[in-house]
Amino acid sequence: MVTRIATLLIVGLSVSVAQAQITDISVNKENFEQSGFPYKGKRVLQVEHITTSQEDNYIVFSKEERNADPDQLYIQQFQKIDNQWTAVAEDYVSEKGIVTSVWDARKAFFDADKDGHLDAIFVYSRHPKGDMDKQLSCIGLVLYKKQFYRLQADQTDGYQKTTYSDNYKELPEIVKDKVSQFWQNLDKE
């Protein structure tokens, strides 16, 4: 009887794992920085290893050394191509007099259109150089089909109005709906 229950548990867990659409695998930032992985920048702020039924991804947020002027945030999606990790999507954030801060604990991974590929939203904020306690804006960075899309709320109006990148309108409605749910529930301060 115990063997039968154990077998059922193992089969049940296997089915659950097989049906899982997206898996976020924990990555140690310090070990990753020393690994020789081909990311831009000198230091890793956030790294996510995410697998789906169709792909294996690393999403890396990195910067140059501390207090670099100007502040530069690199955002890269890597996938294994011909047995090598290759950047398949890249973005870059740098504004004169502005420092960006990545919100490592605020993110979401999903597959809204059920195509087996990663859909994700990450959050970062803008601060005046020299005053990290003052937040100017909260930005949602959407990754969909190897492209980045943005939505932004500003402190000046209490984060009430959201503006969108020009390409945001190209996102399918099902993805916009997922992003909207996340964004509405996000404490942007």
Side-chain angles (χ1 to χ4, degrees), residues 21-107:
Q21 294 287 324
I22 294 177
T23 305
D24 184 13
I25 302 163
S26 178
V27 178
N28 179 290
K29 288 192 296 189
E30 290 76 24
N31 291 344
F32 188 81
E33 283 181 330
Q34 305 304 318
S35 71
F37 200 89
Y39 66 89
K40 291 183 176 178
K42 304 275 189 268
R43 58 190 175 102
V44 173
L45 303 179
Q46 179 178 341
V47 59
E48 304 291 339
H49 185 187
I50 306 158
T51 61
T52 69
S53 62
Q54 299 294 317
E55 60 193 17
D56 193 6
N57 300 277
Y58 274 96
I59 312 299
V60 182
F61 289 77
S62 62
K63 284 189 174 188
E64 297 300 330
E65 57 278 332
R66 288 192 186 283
N67 301 315
D69 191 15
D71 183 68
Q72 300 171 347
L73 175 64
Y74 304 103
I75 306 146
Q76 297 175 280
Q77 176 188 16
F78 290 90
Q79 291 180 342
K80 205 168 233 185
I81 299 173
D82 295 330
N83 220 23
Q84 237 179 309
W85 287 104
T86 305
V88 295
E90 294 186 83
D91 206 350
Y92 171 79
V93 178
S94 183
E95 294 179 71
K96 186 176 175 86
I98 298 293
V99 175
T100 55
S101 177
V102 177
W103 295 16
D104 189 26
R106 303 290 195 271
K107 56 194 166 208

Side-chain angles (χ1 to χ4, degrees), residues 121-152:
I121 183 167
F122 302 93
V123 179
Y124 68 92
S125 53
R126 298 171 60 248
H127 306 266
K129 186 172 178 70
D131 189 359
M132 289 301 291
D133 291 332
K134 181 178 183 181
Q135 180 175 293
L136 302 172
S137 305
C138 179
I139 294 96
L141 181 70
V142 179
L143 174 61
Y144 177 74
K145 294 196 184 296
K146 302 176 186 168
Q147 295 288 318
F148 292 102
Y149 307 81
R150 283 184 174 73
L151 54 166
Q152 177 173 321

Side-chain angles (χ1 to χ4, degrees), residues 8-27:
L8 287 173
L9 282 173
I10 291 170
V11 170
L13 288 173
S14 299
V15 169
S16 294
V17 171
Q19 291 177 350
Q21 294 287 324
I22 294 177
T23 305
D24 184 13
I25 302 163
S26 178
V27 178

